[in-house]
Amino acid sequence: MLLPVIMAGGTGSRLWPMSRELYPKQFLRLHGRLSMLQETVERLNGLEVREPVVICNEEHRFLVAEQLRQIDKLSQNIILEPVGRNTAPAIALAALNAISDGNDPLMLVLAADHIINDTKAFHQAIAFATPYAEKDSLVTFGIVPTGPETGYGYIQRGDIVGNISELFKVKRFVEKPDEETAGKYIESGEYYWNSGMFMFRAKKYLEELKKYRPDILEACELAIANSTRNDAFTNLDKDCFMACPDESVDYAVMEKTDEAVVVSLNAGWSDVGSWSALWDVSEKDTANNAITGDAFIHNTENCYINTDEKLVAAIGVENLVIVSTKDAVLVVDKNKVQDVKRIVEFLKAEQRSEYRKHRESYRPWGRSDAVVQEKRFNVNRVTVKPGGAFSMQMHHHRAEHWVVLSGTGKVIIEGKEFLLTENQSTFIPVGSFHSLENPGKIPLELLEIQSGSYLGDDDIIRIQDQYGRD
Amino acid sequence: MLLPVIMAGGTGSRLWPMSRELYPKQFLRLHGRLSMLQETVERLNGLEVREPVVICNEEHRFLVAEQLRQIDKLSQNIILEPVGRNTAPAIALAALNAISDGNDPLMLVLAADHIINDTKAFHQAIAFATPYAEKDSLVTFGIVPTGPETGYGYIQRGDIVGNISELFKVKRFVEKPDEETAGKYIESGEYYWNSGMFMFRAKKYLEELKKYRPDILEACELAIANSTRNDAFTNLDKDCFMACPDESVDYAVMEKTDEAVVVSLNAGWSDVGSWSALWDVSEKDTANNAITGDAFIHNTENCYINTDEKLVAAIGVENLVIVSTKDAVLVVDKNKVQDVKRIVEFLKAEQRSEYRKHRESYRPWGRSDAVVQEKRFNVNRVTVKPGGAFSMQMHHHRAEHWVVLSGTGKVIIEGKEFLLTENQSTFIPVGSFHSLENPGKIPLELLEIQSGSYLGDDDIIRIQDQYGRD
């Protein structure tokens, strides 16, 4: 049985404004019915696999757990990184975790933010690769290129392996080429795009890592040895993991090992590395527009339009990406999408929140949409899932007012417990201990009006928290 | 003393999404410090003028009154049209109104939605025109053209009048020309753009109207004779005015009279007939971008960007108009702005509200922003001006909850009166009579949560209304 290892640690800024640091690409529904993480897990249906190991940033733990729960695939093995250290350490953590019970499973290492349209071809490639990975090859999935892309690294194949023309020894890995070089690669027929997906035995990977980057292995061993476990979550020791070098698995192992094998994959793959890449793989109308949400177009061609709630009207334009979210609008030429990172850099430099979070944010108990934010008051539209709860807490600087729009809440204020239901409201004075729980079967929707001289997120004193937050 | 007649009846759709049927162009702050109506009134400062007559659609009466009040120029003469019937009837109404006290004032007829950058030149043209208008000429203001525009009608001048080279007999009016013809007009030096601004005696206009369109005059006389007066507002008789033909003053009178004179006006005039016209007259950065609101641009040229609250990022684009409001985003090529009417037609055909109103709407007592609109509940963020009040009212199908964010409200619910202040709230059950007043000196800000099975604007039974609404 394969052990899927899903790397969900990215904080991609190239799909801003939909992707934000606190809610990046892998958690978005960008293509297909589910989020990219969920699609990644669902894509394994039909294979003989164990429960996946998911590696993510600790800021995203509730997102990962909630998205897996939604598709009934909640994993008991979610490894939380306090900081990102790239793929070589991430895979080492998963491998160390996998061998801790004395086994040596075959790992299928996947990114949580790739699209693969042809699941059957993907499963076929896995089947081709399995016997070689079992016999201690390090298999990488090489994407059959559809054009001279300069945004990907390439893999040159060597001699054929076995008796089917799908597996080859890896001759070399090459960096992102210029356009001329990429053209030559395509012409030669010997090159694949480097997908960043792999298959190998856990112990084999660790052996190779020990050979080429023992420092990374040691740091990961220490971080695991000093980790704590909390339900499904493995919390790494922060200092140990901070000390780990930041390195990709390609640099650390794959380019150095003599045992790399590439399996050919022709399955409608995309790493969705930009808005134009998403346009490439999206369904389009007769004028080549890919549209999601409430849009009106007239005399418009080759555009990608995505809007979450507001009407977008595009008139007389072409080759544009137009993305509208609750707090930002992006308009960019489809050939200039690599510059989207400029706006994210600008927002970071200005210490504005729009690079980090959406107006709507996801919490372990549900979600909160900041509909009004002013100097002296905020209004949040809050949804608490059935069974979800605010921990018992207190604020030094703000009073709160809750008005229930639908559903029922169990409220405790200064020890007094009562139910609050549709169209009822309550007031929480500054300094009062309070908690809220949704004891019902339907979501609890309420408006939270915060007022006071200081409204920062950090004015919260928690007595106890069912989600293990400070 | 001149009598300014300000025509504020337009419902312009070419500046959608900022201009809406319920809040059109003349009430927007598009250029300069004030709304276009306010700028039109303020532009008269320094001239010897009487209190202006304003003609507008009755739906806009509170907007007109409030905007005039804000600049301390509240008129006692606001004529309300139940329907739009174009400029010939509108001017006739103002003229009939003006002669009702036995006088025959000199009228300066202005549109409420034009830009004139050079006020001094405008005043000079008025001074040139005055002696001729007093001696029963019908003076039209001819704009010295800056290029072969095909969007305007033209006026060909005839012989010079008097001894300065600023006034001419009108040889003829011509319709919007094609580009070649417009080029010839410009070359000849004999043509002006038709501005739609005029100066003549009230009785002289009515005489000429009687000569050429007695049917229009009669309908207007009837509508005035059967009108009712309510404070500053003259409410025309609806049936009488509905029966009036729809005709412009150019067609009805100016093209037919032998006494038309054109005065040359070179004063940075624009009728702001499109987003590109607004870009033309706006201040621009070194890359020729005109930007209003929170925008980030990179590698962007010749764009017009206007956003009311959300961040707009424009990257690698040129010649675009990008406008973001609370409920809609427009992206249009600057050379295709005439097609903006397509989206308005589409929205009308689909019976959607975005052509008619903004998410935020203006009321006699203040304003209301529909921050959440769902099937079973609405949340409005309401601002009540000092002295403003909701009439005593009742709803058959909805309950309401008010939470005060700042300021103080005097509330009456079923006869019980009390004050509601910051962070206090109250509940109004279905069927209860209630009213709200801001007795304070600062705006009263509150959240109104409406819930019920039917939330339409028409579920309101008013007992009494200080603003004369049904």
Side-chain angles (χ1 to χ4, degrees):
Chain A
M1 291 235 292
L2 276 170
L3 173 65
V5 172
I6 297 175
M7 294 183 290
T11 55
S13 60
R14 289 178 296 179
L15 295 187
W16 185 92
M18 285 197 71
S19 177
R20 306 277 170 108
E21 231 178 63
L22 287 183
Y23 204 86
K25 182 180 144 194
Q26 58 271 29
F27 304 113
L28 298 173
R29 199 179 68 79
L30 287 173
H31 185 74
R33 186 175 62 83
L34 300 168
S35 79
M36 300 196 78
L37 169 66
Q38 291 171 328
E39 293 275 351
T40 302
V41 174
E42 292 287 76
R43 195 174 291 133
L44 302 171
N45 290 345
L47 295 173
E48 293 209 0
V49 294
R50 295 166 54 180
E51 186 181 82
V53 177
V54 182
I55 305 147
C56 67
N57 188 291
E58 64 176 8
E59 284 192 316
H60 301 140
R61 65 196 189 276
F62 299 116
L63 269 176
V64 167
E66 172 64 13
Q67 292 205 342
L68 295 177
R69 191 197 59 74
Q70 282 170 2
I71 57 170
D72 235 355
K73 294 277 172 66
L74 187 50
S75 167
Q76 289 307 309
N77 247 326
I78 302 174
I79 301 175
L80 305 180
E81 296 179 325
V83 290
R85 283 292 179 260
N86 213 328
T87 50
I91 298 168
L93 296 169
L96 289 166
N97 188 285
I99 64 166
S100 63
D101 60 359
N103 285 320
D104 181 19
L106 194 55
M107 304 202 304
L108 173 64
V109 179
L110 303 170
D113 59 353
H114 291 177
I115 288 172
I116 295 175
N117 276 325
D118 185 347
T119 302
K120 208 172 143 191
F122 173 57
H123 288 189
Q124 184 60 68
I126 292 169
F128 287 146
T130 301
Y132 299 91
E134 277 176 340
K135 282 179 291 180
D136 282 346
S137 287
L138 287 88
V139 181
T140 178
F141 291 78
I143 307 299
V144 179
T146 55
E149 279 288 335
T150 56
Y152 298 130
Y154 284 70
I155 299 168
Q156 188 181 13
R157 72 191 191 198
D159 295 336
I160 200 163
V161 165
N163 50 14
I164 51 160
S165 58
E166 305 287 338
L167 279 105
F168 303 85
K169 293 292 286 179
V170 169
K171 194 162 182 181
R172 62 172 184 142
F173 285 83
V174 287
E175 296 276 349
K176 294 177 186 175
D178 59 29
E179 213 169 312
E180 200 193 329
T181 312
K184 284 183 192 157
Y185 290 171
I186 302 298
E187 238 170 80
S188 78
E190 288 182 6
Y191 286 81
Y192 298 98
W193 293 338
N194 184 356
S195 72
M197 301 189 293
F198 308 95
M199 215 169 139
F200 34 63
R201 289 212 169 271
K203 284 185 180 165
K204 180 67 187 175
Y205 174 73
L206 294 171
E207 262 171 42
E208 295 295 293
L209 187 62
K210 188 171 189 174
K211 207 181 293 176
Y212 302 111
R213 290 303 298 267
D215 53 338
I216 293 179
L217 181 60
E218 274 166 46
C220 291
E221 282 173 337
L222 269 174
I224 286 275
N226 293 296
S227 66
T228 54
R229 181 126 182 163
N230 181 354
D231 290 332
F233 302 117
T234 299
N235 293 283
L236 299 176
D237 182 83
K238 187 167 179 181
D239 290 336
C240 295
F241 196 64
M242 294 267 285
C244 182
D246 185 303
E247 191 82 287
S248 77
V249 61
D250 300 279
Y251 278 107
V253 174
M254 296 305 292
E255 296 185 5
K256 294 181 177 126
T257 181
D258 301 321
E259 292 165 90
V261 164
V262 58
V263 59
S264 164
L265 180 62
N266 190 357
W269 173 91
S270 170
D271 75 344
V272 202
S274 67
W275 286 114
S276 64
L278 190 56
W279 177 83
D280 284 337
V281 297
S282 296
E283 219 174 288
K284 300 175 195 76
D285 65 18
T286 52
N288 271 323
N289 298 300
I291 297 175
T292 303
D294 186 14
F296 168 86
I297 57 166
H298 174 75
N299 192 14
T300 285
E301 287 176 8
N302 293 312
C303 286
Y304 177 87
I305 301 176
N306 192 330
T307 173
D308 67 352
E309 51 167 25
K310 294 213 289 199
L311 171 66
V312 168
I315 298 174
V317 295
E318 52 183 24
N319 292 316
L320 291 183
V321 170
I322 305 172
V323 180
S324 172
T325 66
K326 286 191 172 67
D327 62 355
V329 176
L330 170 70
V331 181
V332 55
D333 186 287
K334 198 141 53 61
N335 298 314
K336 306 280 173 57
V337 289
Q338 70 282 5
D339 286 340
V340 169
K341 60 177 184 283
R342 301 270 179 220
I343 170 74
V344 177
E345 289 161 5
F346 164 80
L347 294 169
K348 275 191 187 182
E350 296 280 310
Q351 298 188 287
R352 291 179 55 153
S353 64
E354 291 97 333
Y355 78 91
R356 182 160 164 79
K357 57 186 186 186
H358 292 87
R359 206 186 72 177
E360 189 166 39
S361 60
Y362 290 77
R363 307 291 173 82
W365 40 258
R367 61 179 192 274
S368 176
D369 180 10
V371 290
V372 180
Q373 295 205 49
E374 300 215 348
K375 221 173 176 158
R376 291 185 41 261
F377 58 87
N378 289 340
V379 179
N380 299 318
R381 186 178 166 190
V382 171
T383 305
V384 183
K385 295 182 289 197
F390 294 5
S391 51
M392 182 61 77
Q393 56 190 246
M394 181 269 271
H395 313 291
H396 283 300
H397 304 287
R398 67 179 189 248
E400 292 181 339
H401 208 111
W402 293 337
V403 183
V404 174
L405 302 173
S406 68
T408 299
K410 193 176 89 181
V411 178
I412 304 176
I413 299 177
E414 289 290 319
K416 202 182 142 208
E417 181 180 318
F418 54 99
L419 288 179
L420 204 62
T421 188
E422 211 169 300
N423 247 321
Q424 295 183 329
S425 67
T426 193
F427 177 70
I428 301 137
V430 172
S432 296
F433 280 100
H434 57 282
S435 69
L436 172 68
E437 185 189 331
N438 178 359
K441 300 289 181 208
I442 60 166
L444 166 63
E445 307 261 356
L446 58 89
L447 283 187
E448 175 181 75
I449 298 100
Q450 306 178 325
S451 67
S453 52
Y454 177 75
L455 301 171
D457 277 349
D458 54 346
D459 177 19
I460 184 163
I461 310 297
R462 289 198 180 93
I463 301 300
Q464 53 184 53
D465 183 28
Q466 67 178 109
Y467 306 106
R469 297 168 302 179
D470 293 330
Chain B
M1 291 238 289
L2 277 170
L3 173 65
V5 173
I6 297 175
M7 296 183 292
T11 55
S13 60
R14 291 179 294 181
L15 296 187
W16 184 91
M18 284 197 72
S19 177
R20 307 278 170 107
E21 230 176 65
L22 288 183
Y23 204 86
K25 181 179 143 195
Q26 58 270 30
F27 305 113
L28 298 172
R29 199 179 68 81
L30 287 172
H31 184 75
R33 184 174 64 82
L34 300 168
S35 81
M36 299 195 79
L37 169 65
Q38 290 171 329
E39 293 274 351
T40 302
V41 173
E42 293 286 77
R43 196 175 290 133
L44 302 172
N45 290 345
L47 295 174
E48 292 208 1
V49 293
R50 295 167 54 181
E51 187 181 82
V53 177
V54 182
I55 305 148
C56 68
N57 189 289
E58 64 176 9
E59 284 192 318
H60 301 141
R61 63 195 189 280
F62 299 117
L63 269 176
V64 167
E66 172 63 13
Q67 291 205 344
L68 294 177
R69 191 197 58 73
Q70 283 171 0
I71 56 169
D72 233 358
K73 295 277 172 67
L74 187 50
S75 167
Q76 289 308 309
N77 247 327
I78 302 174
I79 301 175
L80 306 180
E81 296 180 325
V83 289
R85 283 292 180 258
N86 213 327
T87 49
I91 298 170
L93 295 169
L96 289 166
N97 187 286
I99 63 168
S100 63
D101 59 0
N103 286 320
D104 181 19
L106 193 56
M107 304 201 308
L108 173 64
V109 179
L110 303 170
D113 58 353
H114 291 177
I115 288 172
I116 296 175
N117 277 326
D118 185 347
T119 301
K120 208 172 145 190
F122 173 58
H123 288 189
Q124 183 61 65
I126 292 170
F128 287 146
T130 301
Y132 298 92
E134 276 175 341
K135 282 179 290 179
D136 282 345
S137 287
L138 287 89
V139 180
T140 178
F141 291 79
I143 308 298
V144 179
T146 54
E149 279 288 334
T150 57
Y152 298 130
Y154 283 70
I155 300 169
Q156 187 181 12
R157 73 189 189 197
D159 294 336
I160 198 163
V161 165
N163 51 14
I164 51 160
S165 58
E166 305 287 338
L167 279 106
F168 303 86
K169 291 293 285 179
V170 170
K171 194 161 181 181
R172 60 173 186 141
F173 285 81
V174 288
E175 296 275 350
K176 294 176 186 175
D178 60 27
E179 213 168 311
E180 199 193 329
T181 312
K184 283 182 192 156
Y185 290 171
I186 301 299
E187 239 171 79
S188 77
E190 288 182 4
Y191 286 81
Y192 297 98
W193 292 340
N194 185 353
S195 71
M197 302 190 292
F198 307 95
M199 215 171 142
F200 35 61
R201 290 211 168 273
K203 284 184 180 165
K204 180 67 188 177
Y205 175 73
L206 294 171
E207 260 170 45
E208 297 295 293
L209 186 63
K210 188 170 189 177
K211 206 182 294 176
Y212 302 112
R213 290 304 298 269
D215 52 338
I216 293 180
L217 180 59
E218 274 166 44
C220 291
E221 282 173 337
L222 270 173
I224 286 275
N226 293 296
S227 66
T228 54
R229 180 123 183 164
N230 183 351
D231 290 332
F233 303 117
T234 299
N235 293 283
L236 299 175
D237 181 83
K238 187 167 179 179
D239 290 336
C240 295
F241 196 65
M242 295 267 286
C244 182
D246 185 302
E247 192 81 289
S248 77
V249 62
D250 300 279
Y251 278 107
V253 173
M254 295 305 292
E255 296 184 5
K256 294 181 177 124
T257 183
D258 302 321
E259 292 165 89
V261 164
V262 57
V263 59
S264 163
L265 179 63
N266 191 356
W269 173 91
S270 169
D271 74 344
V272 201
S274 67
W275 286 114
S276 64
L278 190 56
W279 177 82
D280 285 336
V281 297
S282 296
E283 217 173 289
K284 301 175 194 77
D285 65 16
T286 51
N288 270 323
N289 298 299
I291 297 174
T292 303
D294 186 14
F296 168 84
I297 58 166
H298 174 74
N299 192 15
T300 286
E301 286 176 9
N302 293 312
C303 286
Y304 177 88
I305 301 176
N306 192 329
T307 174
D308 68 351
E309 50 167 24
K310 295 212 289 199
L311 171 66
V312 168
I315 297 174
V317 295
E318 51 183 24
N319 292 316
L320 291 183
V321 170
I322 305 171
V323 181
S324 172
T325 67
K326 287 191 170 67
D327 62 354
V329 177
L330 170 71
V331 181
V332 55
D333 186 287
K334 199 143 49 67
N335 298 313
K336 306 280 172 59
V337 288
Q338 70 282 5
D339 287 340
V340 170
K341 59 177 185 285
R342 302 268 179 221
I343 170 74
V344 177
E345 289 161 6
F346 164 79
L347 294 169
K348 275 191 187 185
E350 297 280 310
Q351 298 189 284
R352 290 179 54 153
S353 65
E354 292 96 334
Y355 77 91
R356 184 161 162 77
K357 57 187 185 185
H358 292 87
R359 206 185 73 177
E360 189 166 39
S361 59
Y362 289 76
R363 308 290 173 82
W365 40 258
R367 62 178 191 275
S368 175
D369 180 12
V371 289
V372 180
Q373 293 203 51
E374 302 216 346
K375 220 172 178 160
R376 290 183 43 263
F377 57 86
N378 289 341
V379 179
N380 299 317
R381 186 179 167 188
V382 170
T383 305
V384 183
K385 295 182 289 197
F390 292 9
S391 51
M392 181 61 76
Q393 56 190 246
M394 182 267 271
H395 313 291
H396 282 302
H397 304 288
R398 66 175 189 251
E400 292 181 340
H401 208 112
W402 293 336
V403 182
V404 174
L405 301 173
S406 67
T408 298
K410 194 176 88 182
V411 178
I412 304 176
I413 300 176
E414 290 291 316
K416 202 182 140 209
E417 181 180 316
F418 54 97
L419 288 179
L420 204 64
T421 189
E422 213 169 299
N423 248 321
Q424 295 183 331
S425 67
T426 192
F427 177 69
I428 302 137
V430 171
S432 297
F433 280 101
H434 57 283
S435 70
L436 173 67
E437 186 190 329
N438 178 358
K441 301 288 181 207
I442 60 164
L444 166 62
E445 307 262 356
L446 58 89
L447 283 187
E448 174 181 75
I449 299 99
Q450 306 178 327
S451 67
S453 53
Y454 177 75
L455 301 172
D457 277 347
D458 53 348
D459 177 18
I460 184 163
I461 311 296
R462 288 200 182 91
I463 303 299
Q464 55 184 51
D465 184 27
Q466 68 178 111
Y467 306 106
R469 297 169 301 178
D470 294 331

